[in-house]
Amino acid sequence: MRPVRTAFAGALLGTLVLAGCGQTGTTAGPGAAPTSASAAPSAAPSAAGFPVTVEAANGKVTIPKRPERIVSLSATHTETLYAIGAGSQVVAVDDRSNHPPEAPKTDLSGFKPNVEAIVAQKPDLVILSDDLDDVVSELGKVNVPVLHQPAATGLDEAYEEISELGAATGHQDEADKVVTGMKTAIEDLAAKAPKDTKLTYYHELDQTPYAVTSKTFIGQIYGLFGLTNIADKAPDAAGGYPKLSAEFVAQADPDLIFLADVKCCQQNKDALAARPGWKNLSAIKDDRVTELDDDIASRWGPRVVDLARSIGEAVTKASAKTDGTG
């Protein structure tokens, strides 16, 4: 069994923020493992090892036999299921699950769960990120096994959730390979990036603008690259997701800007330059604005490697210009 994972405070806030703006695009996947969540080997799962008990946020969940009708109400977990080779067992996913494209997308919602609609899919396992409207207990009343896997607060929790899903679906070996590939790729990307640049950055969740601090899952990824987060000095950290003023960002004048509101909200360097007081920001003048994929920047599954890759490329590019070699 996997080690017990503690349910963390603020999971709801983290998940709502990480959910992004209802994007509809698709993206690519992790490092040493295949780069697309749908590209992982689709080996037939073994029935051996069941029943299995997995420790989730809703306690110890016993899955009596290999699930053949999985419903995923989390875009992140949908990606993970396909990455570990359990895609053929998935019969329905929520309305935000847009990767991989072959996932059986429905109008089911992870944020406004409809128990009757979920049960109508005849699931033998439901996987979700948020226990809204007591959906876990409601599904329990009709004897549907549920794994509540909240938004990870760090890479270790993300790795653990992937391993837990592997155990729950009969794909433990594949899940372990995905985790190993992620670790190797992220460590390699971080090791190759320059660390002595002392660059500052601003990560924008939306144009309000909301940002993230270093204590969040996203912020910890940036920390691997030696970057300093301007949002850490925000007057109100707001659980790691502070609402900044335009003046605050302008005064901080970050060296790098990363936008996670591109597809949802059409933000780019030109849109930033049109904001009052922003056209002279160093990141804009020096062409150091990185347009992230909203989905990659909002999920904590296997494709987090691609977020790390984007950060590493931006740091290397900025460092080269600083050194006069770019």
Side-chain angles (χ1 to χ4, degrees), residues 188-199 222-228 256 311-323 325:
D188 184 59
L189 289 166
K192 289 180 178 179
K195 295 294 192 307
D196 57 353
T197 55
K198 297 182 179 179
L199 295 169
Y222 283 102
L224 297 175
F225 294 86
L227 299 178
T228 299
L256 300 167
I311 296 171
E313 290 173 352
V315 171
T316 299
K317 178 181 176 181
S319 179
K321 287 187 176 181
T322 300
D323 294 340
T325 57

Side-chain angles (χ1 to χ4, degrees), residues 5-319:
R5 183 170 60 82
T6 303
F8 52 88
L12 176 58
L13 172 63
T15 302
L16 292 177
V17 173
L18 289 170
C21 304
Q23 307 94 321
T24 58
T26 60
T27 48
T35 56
S36 170
S38 60
S42 297
S46 171
F50 289 88
V52 63
T53 299
V54 177
E55 187 77 22
N58 54 317
K60 293 182 178 180
V61 179
T62 298
I63 302 167
K65 61 181 181 178
R66 183 188 67 208
E68 299 293 349
R69 296 189 60 82
I70 299 172
V71 171
S72 172
L73 301 180
S74 162
T76 294
H77 297 324
T78 296
E79 294 188 10
T80 296
L81 288 168
Y82 277 83
I84 65 176
S88 63
Q89 296 158 260
V90 178
V91 296
V93 301
D94 71 302
D95 54 1
R96 292 179 182 267
S97 289
N98 53 19
H99 186 85
E102 65 266 29
K105 189 174 181 178
T106 69
D107 59 359
L108 292 174
S109 173
F111 296 126
K112 295 181 180 180
N114 182 320
V115 174
E116 290 185 0
I118 296 170
V119 172
Q121 297 292 336
K122 299 180 180 179
D124 49 15
L125 179 64
V126 174
I127 301 167
L128 45 76
S129 298
D130 294 288
D131 183 16
L132 301 177
D133 298 330
D134 294 323
V135 63
V136 172
S137 63
E138 290 301 310
L139 289 172
K141 292 177 181 178
V142 290
N143 299 317
V144 175
V146 181
L147 285 182
H148 178 199
Q149 303 279 35
T153 60
L155 279 170
D156 286 344
E157 283 188 357
Y159 297 147
E160 187 176 346
E161 287 192 355
I162 293 170
S163 292
E164 289 169 348
L165 290 182
T169 60
H171 292 272
Q172 185 69 76
D173 289 345
E174 295 97 320
D176 290 343
K177 289 178 182 178
V178 168
V179 169
T180 298
M182 291 174 67
K183 289 181 178 179
T184 300
I186 291 174
E187 289 172 0
D188 184 59
L189 289 166
K192 289 180 178 179
K195 295 294 192 307
D196 57 353
T197 55
K198 297 182 179 179
L199 295 169
T200 59
Y201 79 94
Y202 161 59
H203 177 102
E204 179 169 289
L205 290 172
D206 66 31
Q207 66 271 38
T208 305
Y210 273 97
V212 298
T213 69
S214 296
K215 293 183 178 180
T216 63
F217 177 86
I218 300 171
Q220 290 176 32
I221 304 298
Y222 283 102
L224 297 175
F225 294 86
L227 299 178
T228 299
N229 190 344
I230 67 165
D232 289 347
K233 294 184 178 180
D236 180 6
Y241 302 93
K243 180 179 180 181
L244 306 179
S245 67
E247 293 77 14
F248 179 92
V249 177
Q251 290 176 4
D253 192 18
D255 298 305
L256 300 167
I257 293 178
F258 296 87
L259 299 176
D261 51 359
V262 177
K263 290 190 294 186
C264 74
C265 314
Q266 295 74 55
Q267 296 303 293
N268 52 40
K269 185 177 71 172
D270 292 338
L272 296 185
R275 297 180 187 179
W278 283 36
K279 66 178 181 180
N280 291 320
L281 289 180
S282 297
I284 295 175
K285 291 193 300 180
D286 297 335
D287 194 24
R288 295 177 179 175
V289 177
T290 298
E291 296 180 12
L292 299 171
D293 183 288
D294 299 27
D295 296 328
I296 287 178
S298 69
R299 298 172 187 173
W300 59 98
R303 296 191 301 159
V304 71
V305 172
D306 290 327
L307 173 60
R309 183 174 294 111
S310 295
I311 296 171
E313 290 173 352
V315 171
T316 299
K317 178 181 176 181
S319 179

